[in-house]
Amino acid sequence: MAEYKQHREAKREVYEAFHPERTDTSCHKFLSAAICIQKFIRGWLVRVQLGRIREKAANHGPSLSAVVKQYRRMMHRLKRRFGVIKPSVPMVYSDLEEWLDRKTMYEKMFIKRQFWKELDKSELPNFFRDCAHFPSKQDIEHTWSLINYGTFGKTAEAVKKHQAVEMAFTLYPPQGAKPLIGAIRQSTWVNPIVDGEEGYKYLVSDHPVLKEADIRVVGRLVATSIRERKERMALPRGVSDSTIKKEAP
């Protein structure tokens, strides 16, 4: 009997040596702890962002719900203006906060140039330049006609604050209408747009990249473009560049 107990004790010791008891935390507990921390941090970030939105919305309406309705109506108008049949405006805090920041900036720039709470239409380019926007005159005229579409009679030359803000958001849609970016502004040789960003502002701010450009390379590029345009204009009707290339030996 004693030998049997010693044999069992030896087997137990060997088993414990090769199968030690785990004292560390399991993967399931690690996962549960990570999820709990993420829930707490994300909830805290959302509450902080909501607090910022409430403070910013106090300058744009009597309550947060009224400002949200104002935001939804503008996004709805923008989407309908560009052909969206059934527009939907999801409530995203980051989009709403970005809209509030830009609306505050547009209104401050308008107050800077207003006279009797109005702005002359000829001052619109200067207004947009104050906002770090550089639309062309054609874009401004087209947007002005969109804003006043359906009005009877001749549109006035005086611009109200809400009209200037509406034009700014139409020319430069916020994140809530991100698919509409580029719907109004078109990239041209004079006013290039790359990835939704205007190149003209680099000329105004004297960007260091522009100082590194070789004027000879720029001159050759412009000369080549002018020569190709004149060659296309000199071609007879019905003859294209591809036809000439095919006929060339």
Side-chain angles (χ1 to χ4, degrees), residues 115-143:
F115 180 75
W116 288 95
K117 297 183 179 182
E118 291 181 346
L119 185 69
D120 192 82
K121 188 180 175 183
S122 60
E123 287 290 322
L124 282 175
N126 296 328
F127 162 74
F128 286 116
R129 192 173 293 107
D130 294 339
C131 301
H133 297 326
F134 304 94
S136 62
K137 292 183 179 180
Q138 293 80 5
D139 293 338
I140 294 176
E141 290 294 335
H142 179 45
T143 307

mmCIF file of all heavy atoms in Angstrom, residues 115-143:
data_model
loop_
_atom_site.group_PDB
_atom_site.id
_atom_site.type_symbol
_atom_site.label_atom_id
_atom_site.label_comp_id
_atom_site.label_asym_id
_atom_site.label_seq_id
_atom_site.Cartn_x
_atom_site.Cartn_y
_atom_site.Cartn_z
ATOM 1 N N PHE A 115 -21.860 96.303 -44.625
ATOM 2 C CA PHE A 115 -22.281 97.688 -44.459
ATOM 3 C C PHE A 115 -23.797 97.679 -44.364
ATOM 4 O O PHE A 115 -24.488 97.296 -45.304
ATOM 5 C CB PHE A 115 -21.823 98.551 -45.644
ATOM 6 C CG PHE A 115 -22.223 99.994 -45.517
ATOM 7 C CD1 PHE A 115 -21.564 100.838 -44.647
ATOM 8 C CD2 PHE A 115 -23.281 100.502 -46.266
ATOM 9 C CE1 PHE A 115 -21.937 102.168 -44.521
ATOM 10 C CE2 PHE A 115 -23.659 101.824 -46.149
ATOM 11 C CZ PHE A 115 -22.986 102.664 -45.276
ATOM 12 N N TRP A 116 -24.307 98.071 -43.203
ATOM 13 C CA TRP A 116 -25.740 97.990 -42.929
ATOM 14 C C TRP A 116 -26.242 96.553 -43.115
ATOM 15 O O TRP A 116 -27.274 96.297 -43.735
ATOM 16 C CB TRP A 116 -26.535 98.938 -43.814
ATOM 17 C CG TRP A 116 -26.353 100.374 -43.445
ATOM 18 C CD1 TRP A 116 -25.478 101.256 -44.003
ATOM 19 C CD2 TRP A 116 -27.058 101.105 -42.437
ATOM 20 N NE1 TRP A 116 -25.573 102.494 -43.411
ATOM 21 C CE2 TRP A 116 -26.546 102.433 -42.435
ATOM 22 C CE3 TRP A 116 -28.061 100.773 -41.514
ATOM 23 C CZ2 TRP A 116 -27.000 103.413 -41.562
ATOM 24 C CZ3 TRP A 116 -28.519 101.742 -40.659
ATOM 25 C CH2 TRP A 116 -27.997 103.054 -40.689
ATOM 26 N N LYS A 117 -25.464 95.611 -42.554
ATOM 27 C CA LYS A 117 -25.814 94.189 -42.559
ATOM 28 C C LYS A 117 -25.962 93.623 -43.966
ATOM 29 O O LYS A 117 -26.659 92.623 -44.177
ATOM 30 C CB LYS A 117 -27.110 93.947 -41.771
ATOM 31 C CG LYS A 117 -26.995 94.298 -40.295
ATOM 32 C CD LYS A 117 -28.267 93.963 -39.551
ATOM 33 C CE LYS A 117 -28.131 94.303 -38.073
ATOM 34 N NZ LYS A 117 -29.346 93.954 -37.306
ATOM 35 N N GLU A 118 -25.294 94.252 -44.925
ATOM 36 C CA GLU A 118 -25.308 93.773 -46.299
ATOM 37 C C GLU A 118 -23.896 93.879 -46.878
ATOM 38 O O GLU A 118 -23.041 94.601 -46.362
ATOM 39 C CB GLU A 118 -26.280 94.569 -47.166
ATOM 40 C CG GLU A 118 -27.740 94.349 -46.818
ATOM 41 C CD GLU A 118 -28.664 95.150 -47.714
ATOM 42 O OE1 GLU A 118 -28.155 96.070 -48.417
ATOM 43 O OE2 GLU A 118 -29.874 94.884 -47.705
ATOM 44 N N LEU A 119 -23.698 93.154 -47.953
ATOM 45 C CA LEU A 119 -22.417 93.162 -48.642
ATOM 46 C C LEU A 119 -22.676 93.324 -50.126
ATOM 47 O O LEU A 119 -23.547 92.652 -50.689
ATOM 48 C CB LEU A 119 -21.651 91.852 -48.385
ATOM 49 C CG LEU A 119 -20.239 91.747 -48.951
ATOM 50 C CD1 LEU A 119 -19.299 92.685 -48.201
ATOM 51 C CD2 LEU A 119 -19.740 90.308 -48.839
ATOM 52 N N ASP A 120 -21.951 94.242 -50.739
ATOM 53 C CA ASP A 120 -22.117 94.438 -52.176
ATOM 54 C C ASP A 120 -21.631 93.196 -52.922
ATOM 55 O O ASP A 120 -20.654 92.557 -52.536
ATOM 56 C CB ASP A 120 -21.349 95.673 -52.648
ATOM 57 C CG ASP A 120 -21.731 96.064 -54.060
ATOM 58 O OD1 ASP A 120 -22.769 96.737 -54.223
ATOM 59 O OD2 ASP A 120 -20.986 95.693 -54.986
ATOM 60 N N LYS A 121 -22.328 92.881 -53.994
ATOM 61 C CA LYS A 121 -21.995 91.672 -54.744
ATOM 62 C C LYS A 121 -20.574 91.717 -55.290
ATOM 63 O O LYS A 121 -19.907 90.674 -55.406
ATOM 64 C CB LYS A 121 -22.995 91.493 -55.891
ATOM 65 C CG LYS A 121 -22.856 90.172 -56.629
ATOM 66 C CD LYS A 121 -23.878 90.080 -57.731
ATOM 67 C CE LYS A 121 -23.673 88.821 -58.557
ATOM 68 N NZ LYS A 121 -24.634 88.750 -59.691
ATOM 69 N N SER A 122 -20.083 92.897 -55.604
ATOM 70 C CA SER A 122 -18.720 93.021 -56.121
ATOM 71 C C SER A 122 -17.666 92.700 -55.061
ATOM 72 O O SER A 122 -16.499 92.479 -55.386
ATOM 73 C CB SER A 122 -18.493 94.436 -56.658
ATOM 74 O OG SER A 122 -18.672 95.398 -55.624
ATOM 75 N N GLU A 123 -18.068 92.670 -53.777
ATOM 76 C CA GLU A 123 -17.142 92.366 -52.691
ATOM 77 C C GLU A 123 -17.049 90.870 -52.401
ATOM 78 O O GLU A 123 -16.281 90.465 -51.516
ATOM 79 C CB GLU A 123 -17.572 93.100 -51.416
ATOM 80 C CG GLU A 123 -17.328 94.587 -51.429
ATOM 81 C CD GLU A 123 -15.848 94.913 -51.359
ATOM 82 O OE1 GLU A 123 -15.127 94.206 -50.627
ATOM 83 O OE2 GLU A 123 -15.409 95.845 -52.045
ATOM 84 N N LEU A 124 -17.809 90.060 -53.115
ATOM 85 C CA LEU A 124 -17.788 88.620 -52.859
ATOM 86 C C LEU A 124 -16.400 87.995 -53.071
ATOM 87 O O LEU A 124 -15.978 87.163 -52.252
ATOM 88 C CB LEU A 124 -18.829 87.917 -53.733
ATOM 89 C CG LEU A 124 -20.280 88.023 -53.256
ATOM 90 C CD1 LEU A 124 -21.224 87.389 -54.258
ATOM 91 C CD2 LEU A 124 -20.445 87.381 -51.883
ATOM 92 N N PRO A 125 -15.655 88.353 -54.134
ATOM 93 C CA PRO A 125 -14.299 87.780 -54.252
ATOM 94 C C PRO A 125 -13.409 88.097 -53.051
ATOM 95 O O PRO A 125 -12.647 87.237 -52.591
ATOM 96 C CB PRO A 125 -13.762 88.411 -55.542
ATOM 97 C CG PRO A 125 -14.983 88.739 -56.345
ATOM 98 C CD PRO A 125 -16.016 89.136 -55.336
ATOM 99 N N ASN A 126 -13.518 89.327 -52.531
ATOM 100 C CA ASN A 126 -12.718 89.693 -51.355
ATOM 101 C C ASN A 126 -13.191 88.926 -50.119
ATOM 102 O O ASN A 126 -12.377 88.534 -49.270
ATOM 103 C CB ASN A 126 -12.807 91.196 -51.106
ATOM 104 C CG ASN A 126 -12.207 92.003 -52.230
ATOM 105 O OD1 ASN A 126 -11.250 91.568 -52.881
ATOM 106 N ND2 ASN A 126 -12.764 93.173 -52.492
ATOM 107 N N PHE A 127 -14.490 88.715 -50.020
ATOM 108 C CA PHE A 127 -15.029 87.939 -48.906
ATOM 109 C C PHE A 127 -14.490 86.508 -48.924
ATOM 110 O O PHE A 127 -14.049 85.975 -47.895
ATOM 111 C CB PHE A 127 -16.558 87.945 -48.957
ATOM 112 C CG PHE A 127 -17.211 86.868 -48.146
ATOM 113 C CD1 PHE A 127 -17.256 86.943 -46.763
ATOM 114 C CD2 PHE A 127 -17.789 85.765 -48.773
ATOM 115 C CE1 PHE A 127 -17.852 85.929 -46.011
ATOM 116 C CE2 PHE A 127 -18.398 84.764 -48.036
ATOM 117 C CZ PHE A 127 -18.424 84.842 -46.653
ATOM 118 N N PHE A 128 -14.504 85.888 -50.098
ATOM 119 C CA PHE A 128 -13.990 84.520 -50.199
ATOM 120 C C PHE A 128 -12.487 84.481 -49.973
ATOM 121 O O PHE A 128 -11.967 83.509 -49.402
ATOM 122 C CB PHE A 128 -14.340 83.936 -51.574
ATOM 123 C CG PHE A 128 -15.782 83.556 -51.722
ATOM 124 C CD1 PHE A 128 -16.597 84.198 -52.636
ATOM 125 C CD2 PHE A 128 -16.335 82.564 -50.938
ATOM 126 C CE1 PHE A 128 -17.923 83.850 -52.782
ATOM 127 C CE2 PHE A 128 -17.667 82.197 -51.068
ATOM 128 C CZ PHE A 128 -18.467 82.848 -51.987
ATOM 129 N N ARG A 129 -11.789 85.517 -50.388
ATOM 130 C CA ARG A 129 -10.347 85.547 -50.155
ATOM 131 C C ARG A 129 -10.037 85.645 -48.663
ATOM 132 O O ARG A 129 -9.063 85.048 -48.187
ATOM 133 C CB ARG A 129 -9.733 86.728 -50.919
ATOM 134 C CG ARG A 129 -8.201 86.683 -50.982
ATOM 135 C CD ARG A 129 -7.639 87.762 -51.887
ATOM 136 N NE ARG A 129 -7.985 87.532 -53.280
ATOM 137 C CZ ARG A 129 -8.875 88.237 -53.974
ATOM 138 N NH1 ARG A 129 -9.503 89.252 -53.401
ATOM 139 N NH2 ARG A 129 -9.122 87.954 -55.224
ATOM 140 N N ASP A 130 -10.860 86.383 -47.926
ATOM 141 C CA ASP A 130 -10.696 86.430 -46.473
ATOM 142 C C ASP A 130 -10.908 85.063 -45.836
ATOM 143 O O ASP A 130 -10.330 84.766 -44.782
ATOM 144 C CB ASP A 130 -11.664 87.440 -45.862
ATOM 145 C CG ASP A 130 -11.347 88.871 -46.272
ATOM 146 O OD1 ASP A 130 -10.194 89.126 -46.681
ATOM 147 O OD2 ASP A 130 -12.258 89.728 -46.200
ATOM 148 N N CYS A 131 -11.739 84.255 -46.475
ATOM 149 C CA CYS A 131 -12.014 82.905 -45.972
ATOM 150 C C CYS A 131 -11.033 81.863 -46.506
ATOM 151 O O CYS A 131 -11.250 80.659 -46.323
ATOM 152 C CB CYS A 131 -13.436 82.498 -46.348
ATOM 153 S SG CYS A 131 -14.730 83.576 -45.709
ATOM 154 N N ALA A 132 -9.961 82.334 -47.182
ATOM 155 C CA ALA A 132 -8.953 81.438 -47.777
ATOM 156 C C ALA A 132 -9.543 80.588 -48.885
ATOM 157 O O ALA A 132 -9.109 79.455 -49.119
ATOM 158 C CB ALA A 132 -8.308 80.553 -46.714
ATOM 159 N N HIS A 133 -10.526 81.139 -49.605
ATOM 160 C CA HIS A 133 -11.115 80.501 -50.775
ATOM 161 C C HIS A 133 -10.848 81.387 -51.990
ATOM 162 O O HIS A 133 -10.878 82.617 -51.882
ATOM 163 C CB HIS A 133 -12.613 80.292 -50.600
ATOM 164 C CG HIS A 133 -12.964 79.374 -49.467
ATOM 165 N ND1 HIS A 133 -12.189 78.295 -49.106
ATOM 166 C CD2 HIS A 133 -14.027 79.378 -48.604
ATOM 167 C CE1 HIS A 133 -12.745 77.672 -48.074
ATOM 168 N NE2 HIS A 133 -13.849 78.314 -47.740
ATOM 169 N N PHE A 134 -10.647 80.742 -53.138
ATOM 170 C CA PHE A 134 -10.331 81.502 -54.344
ATOM 171 C C PHE A 134 -11.146 80.994 -55.533
ATOM 172 O O PHE A 134 -10.597 80.468 -56.505
ATOM 173 C CB PHE A 134 -8.829 81.408 -54.644
ATOM 174 C CG PHE A 134 -7.965 81.849 -53.501
ATOM 175 C CD1 PHE A 134 -7.476 80.926 -52.586
ATOM 176 C CD2 PHE A 134 -7.644 83.183 -53.326
ATOM 177 C CE1 PHE A 134 -6.679 81.318 -51.525
ATOM 178 C CE2 PHE A 134 -6.855 83.590 -52.263
ATOM 179 C CZ PHE A 134 -6.376 82.660 -51.370
ATOM 180 N N PRO A 135 -12.473 81.141 -55.481
ATOM 181 C CA PRO A 135 -13.284 80.718 -56.625
ATOM 182 C C PRO A 135 -13.166 81.722 -57.773
ATOM 183 O O PRO A 135 -12.860 82.899 -57.563
ATOM 184 C CB PRO A 135 -14.705 80.689 -56.054
ATOM 185 C CG PRO A 135 -14.683 81.717 -54.971
ATOM 186 C CD PRO A 135 -13.305 81.674 -54.386
ATOM 187 N N SER A 136 -13.422 81.255 -58.979
ATOM 188 C CA SER A 136 -13.400 82.147 -60.129
ATOM 189 C C SER A 136 -14.693 82.958 -60.186
ATOM 190 O O SER A 136 -15.679 82.660 -59.495
ATOM 191 C CB SER A 136 -13.242 81.332 -61.411
ATOM 192 O OG SER A 136 -14.349 80.461 -61.588
ATOM 193 N N LYS A 137 -14.692 83.981 -61.032
ATOM 194 C CA LYS A 137 -15.890 84.814 -61.178
ATOM 195 C C LYS A 137 -17.051 84.016 -61.751
ATOM 196 O O LYS A 137 -18.215 84.236 -61.384
ATOM 197 C CB LYS A 137 -15.580 86.012 -62.076
ATOM 198 C CG LYS A 137 -14.614 87.017 -61.455
ATOM 199 C CD LYS A 137 -14.403 88.216 -62.368
ATOM 200 C CE LYS A 137 -13.456 89.226 -61.719
ATOM 201 N NZ LYS A 137 -13.237 90.412 -62.593
ATOM 202 N N GLN A 138 -16.734 83.087 -62.664
ATOM 203 C CA GLN A 138 -17.797 82.244 -63.218
ATOM 204 C C GLN A 138 -18.437 81.375 -62.141
ATOM 205 O O GLN A 138 -19.667 81.196 -62.112
ATOM 206 C CB GLN A 138 -17.241 81.366 -64.351
ATOM 207 C CG GLN A 138 -16.804 82.125 -65.587
ATOM 208 C CD GLN A 138 -15.445 82.764 -65.449
ATOM 209 O OE1 GLN A 138 -14.766 82.572 -64.440
ATOM 210 N NE2 GLN A 138 -15.028 83.520 -66.458
ATOM 211 N N ASP A 139 -17.602 80.837 -61.240
ATOM 212 C CA ASP A 139 -18.142 80.022 -60.152
ATOM 213 C C ASP A 139 -19.034 80.851 -59.227
ATOM 214 O O ASP A 139 -20.090 80.386 -58.775
ATOM 215 C CB ASP A 139 -17.007 79.402 -59.341
ATOM 216 C CG ASP A 139 -16.214 78.378 -60.136
ATOM 217 O OD1 ASP A 139 -16.766 77.855 -61.122
ATOM 218 O OD2 ASP A 139 -15.053 78.117 -59.778
ATOM 219 N N ILE A 140 -18.611 82.086 -58.949
ATOM 220 C CA ILE A 140 -19.407 82.947 -58.070
ATOM 221 C C ILE A 140 -20.744 83.285 -58.720
ATOM 222 O O ILE A 140 -21.798 83.225 -58.070
ATOM 223 C CB ILE A 140 -18.621 84.225 -57.735
ATOM 224 C CG1 ILE A 140 -17.384 83.884 -56.888
ATOM 225 C CG2 ILE A 140 -19.501 85.213 -56.991
ATOM 226 C CD1 ILE A 140 -16.492 85.071 -56.591
ATOM 227 N N GLU A 141 -20.724 83.617 -60.013
ATOM 228 C CA GLU A 141 -21.964 83.960 -60.703
ATOM 229 C C GLU A 141 -22.893 82.753 -60.789
ATOM 230 O O GLU A 141 -24.106 82.879 -60.596
ATOM 231 C CB GLU A 141 -21.649 84.486 -62.106
ATOM 232 C CG GLU A 141 -20.979 85.849 -62.134
ATOM 233 C CD GLU A 141 -21.896 86.953 -61.622
ATOM 234 O OE1 GLU A 141 -23.129 86.787 -61.696
ATOM 235 O OE2 GLU A 141 -21.382 87.971 -61.145
ATOM 236 N N HIS A 142 -22.328 81.598 -61.079
ATOM 237 C CA HIS A 142 -23.148 80.391 -61.174
ATOM 238 C C HIS A 142 -23.778 80.047 -59.829
ATOM 239 O O HIS A 142 -24.969 79.708 -59.744
ATOM 240 C CB HIS A 142 -22.286 79.235 -61.671
ATOM 241 C CG HIS A 142 -23.028 77.941 -61.792
ATOM 242 N ND1 HIS A 142 -24.284 77.836 -62.358
ATOM 243 C CD2 HIS A 142 -22.684 76.672 -61.426
ATOM 244 C CE1 HIS A 142 -24.699 76.594 -62.329
ATOM 245 N NE2 HIS A 142 -23.738 75.862 -61.757
ATOM 246 N N THR A 143 -22.998 80.157 -58.762
ATOM 247 C CA THR A 143 -23.520 79.867 -57.429
ATOM 248 C C THR A 143 -24.569 80.891 -57.011
ATOM 249 O O THR A 143 -25.572 80.546 -56.378
ATOM 250 C CB THR A 143 -22.371 79.853 -56.407
ATOM 251 O OG1 THR A 143 -21.348 78.973 -56.853
ATOM 252 C CG2 THR A 143 -22.869 79.384 -55.055
#
